[in-house]
Amino acid sequence: MIRLYHFPLSPFCRKVRLTLAEKRLEVELVEERYWEQDPEFLRRNPAGKVPVLKMGARFMTESQAICEYLDETVPSPALMPRDAESRHEVRRLCAWFDDTFHTQVTSKLLYERVYKKIMGQGYPDSRNVKSGATRIKYHLDYMGWLLEQRRWLAGDVMTLADFAAASHLSALDYISDVDWNRNALVKDWYAKIKSRPAFRPLLSDQIAGFPPPAHYADLDF
Ligand SMILES: N[C@@H](CCC(=O)N[C@@H](CS)C(=O)NCC(=O)O)C(=O)O
C-alpha cells in the first residue's frame, strides 16, 4: 500500500497526487500539519516538509524526485518525454512553477491568506498579497505565450510541467486568486486538465474555515 503524508492545498503534494492518480496508483492520504513538527513526522522527513510518500518500508521526499521516480517505475501513461531536450524543458518548467512561481505568487497569496490563519501566525501582510496579485498576471501571460506555440506547457503532450502549474493554480483558485479571464488559452488549458479524472479528488478538498468558491469544482468555470 502507498501512503502519502500531505496537506491538501500544498502545490507540491498536489503534483504528487495528480501523478499517482494519472498512473492509477491507489494511495492512502494522511493529512500532516507539518508546521506542528511532530517528532514522528520529522523522523519520516528530517527536512520537515510535505509531501512524504511511503512505499513499502521506504519514505520518499521531494515532489519532483517522487514524480520522476513514479514515472520511471510505472511508465504508463508517460509524463516525461523521451528525448533529453524535451525532458529538460519539462524540468525547467517544473522548477519555474515550484521555485519562481511559488516564491513570487503562491507563497505570497496562499501563505498570507490561508496558512497564516491555520498556523496561528497573525493577519495577512497586505504588501505581500498585493505583490503576489501583481506577479501572477505576468505568469499567466507567460503561460499564454507558451500555449500559443504548444498544446501543453512543455510541448504537444501533457507532462509533469502541466501538473506542476496546475497544482499551484488550483491551490490559488481555491481562494479565488486566479483571473481566468486574463488569457483564453490558459483558461482552455486549465479546463482540459481540470476535467481529467485524476483531478477530481483535488476538487473535493475542503479546508476547515475556508470553504472553496462555487467555481472551484465547476468544470465549466
Ligand atoms: N522542494 C520541496 C518543497 C516542499 C515544501 O516546501 N512543502 C511545504 C508545504 S507546501 C512545506 O512542507 N513547508 C515546510 C517547511 O518549509 O518547513 C518539494 O518539492 O517537495
Side-chain angles (χ1 to χ4, degrees), residues 90-102:
V90 172
R91 292 184 179 122
R92 180 186 76 81
L93 284 167
C94 287
W96 178 274
F97 288 99
D98 288 345
D99 185 354
T100 309
F101 186 94
H102 182 259

Side-chain angles (χ1 to χ4, degrees), residues 173 194 200 202-205 212-221:
D173 195 36
K194 190 179 184 181
R200 234 168 269 152
L202 270 55
L203 299 177
S204 46
D205 278 349
H215 76 264
Y216 172 73
D218 189 353
L219 296 183
D220 191 18
F221 53 106

Side-chain angles (χ1 to χ4, degrees), residues 10-12 34 47-51 62-64 115:
S10 158
F12 308 104
Y34 55 88
K49 297 181 186 190
V50 288
E62 285 300 326
S63 65
Q64 190 65 22
Y115 282 60

Side-chain angles (χ1 to χ4, degrees), residues 1 28 30 35 51 57 87 90 96 108 127 131 145 151 155 168 183-184 202 207 211 217 219:
M1 185 49 158
E28 179 196 354
V30 177
W35 56 92
R87 275 204 303 278
V90 172
W96 178 274
K108 298 285 188 292
R127 283 165 307 182
S131 162
W145 179 78
R151 290 181 53 225
H168 285 269
N183 187 298
L202 270 55
I207 308 293
L219 296 183

Side-chain angles (χ1 to χ4, degrees), residues 165-182:
S167 297
H168 285 269
L169 287 176
S170 62
L172 291 165
D173 195 36
Y174 188 96
I175 51 171
S176 294
D177 267 338
V178 184
D179 174 10
W180 294 115
N181 292 321
R182 188 166 176 89

Side-chain angles (χ1 to χ4, degrees), residues 11 97 101-111 168 171-172:
F97 288 99
F101 186 94
H102 182 259
T103 306
Q104 296 181 352
V105 181
T106 314
S107 68
K108 298 285 188 292
L109 295 171
L110 204 60
Y111 175 71
H168 285 269
L172 291 165

